[in-house]
Amino acid sequence: MANPGTTMSVQKRLWDLVVLAIVIFAAAFATAPWFAFRALKAAAQDEDVQAIGELVDFPAVRASLTGQLKPPPPAGAAAEPPSIWRDPLGVFRRAVAPIAPPEPKVDRYLTVPGLAALTAGYRPGAAPPLPAEPPTTAERVRQAVTGPYPTIAYWDPNRVRIAVRRPGRPAKVTLFTFRRDALFTWKLAHVRLPPDER
């Protein structure tokens, strides 16, 4: 015959294990976007193209950046298109212009160095170069203490926004929106640039 005290002790331990498993699952689920951002930052710094391809939804990010980088519409009413009878050269220029469009501004943001700069809080080409030698333990501790730190600006079960402040200029904030694709799989789906850098 089983001892009632032993049975209660086993049931309590089983219950404790179930509660611990639930807490670990919830913590892993809640912090998965943070780890996705850290993985993207590390992959961009290490120039790991395959990892970046798995962490970024390029069509969605391209669409988000293209909308922000469009030049503002000219003030006032739109000019009437040229008429062949009044301005034949203007009609010719308008017909030829689409043949050689300017290079889209968004391309510099979607390169490996561009993503590395964005994840550090800078615009492409403006980030300070990485040191040639790995940082010492003292330098890592100083960086960990002084920051700046990426912070979670918004969290829900399917979408998370992570804010990255520019070192030395905390008013410049770049927002990264990650979308959940599977239980623990998150992909970058949108980047919002600081307003004066669009």
Side-chain angles (χ1 to χ4, degrees):
M1 194 164 137
N3 183 356
T6 306
T7 306
M8 292 287 275
S9 176
V10 169
Q11 288 177 347
K12 182 175 182 327
R13 287 185 185 166
L14 278 174
W15 178 248
D16 290 345
L17 285 175
V18 168
V19 169
L20 180 64
I22 291 171
V23 168
I24 290 172
F25 174 82
F29 184 79
T31 58
W34 171 260
F35 287 111
F37 173 79
R38 299 293 297 170
L40 175 62
K41 185 173 184 176
Q45 288 175 348
D46 294 339
E47 299 181 358
D48 186 350
V49 176
Q50 183 177 357
I52 291 172
E54 294 171 2
L55 292 165
V56 178
D57 181 356
F58 280 101
V61 174
R62 177 178 283 281
S64 73
L65 289 170
T66 301
Q68 296 174 63
L69 297 173
K70 282 184 184 175
E80 181 180 325
S83 165
I84 194 157
W85 304 112
R86 287 183 279 157
D87 186 9
L89 291 177
V91 170
F92 179 72
R93 262 184 263 141
R94 186 174 175 154
V96 174
I99 293 174
E103 181 182 340
K105 289 182 183 180
V106 74
D107 286 349
R108 65 182 175 189
Y109 289 88
L110 296 177
T111 61
V112 173
L115 286 171
L118 283 175
T119 57
Y122 296 95
R123 68 175 182 261
L130 292 174
E133 297 179 9
T136 63
T137 305
E139 289 172 346
R140 287 183 184 177
V141 168
R142 184 181 55 78
Q143 289 173 353
V145 170
T146 59
Y149 309 105
T151 57
I152 294 182
Y154 174 80
W155 191 96
D156 78 24
N158 296 316
R159 197 166 300 275
V160 172
R161 288 193 182 96
I162 296 178
V164 178
R165 297 186 186 283
R166 183 168 301 165
R169 300 189 65 191
K172 301 255 186 187
V173 179
T174 304
L175 281 176
F176 295 85
T177 302
F178 285 82
R179 178 189 68 228
R180 186 168 62 84
D181 282 352
L183 189 60
F184 293 106
T185 306
W186 294 79
K187 278 189 141 181
L188 180 65
H190 187 277
V191 175
R192 190 171 80 192
L193 304 171
D196 58 344
E197 291 183 10
R198 296 180 184 170

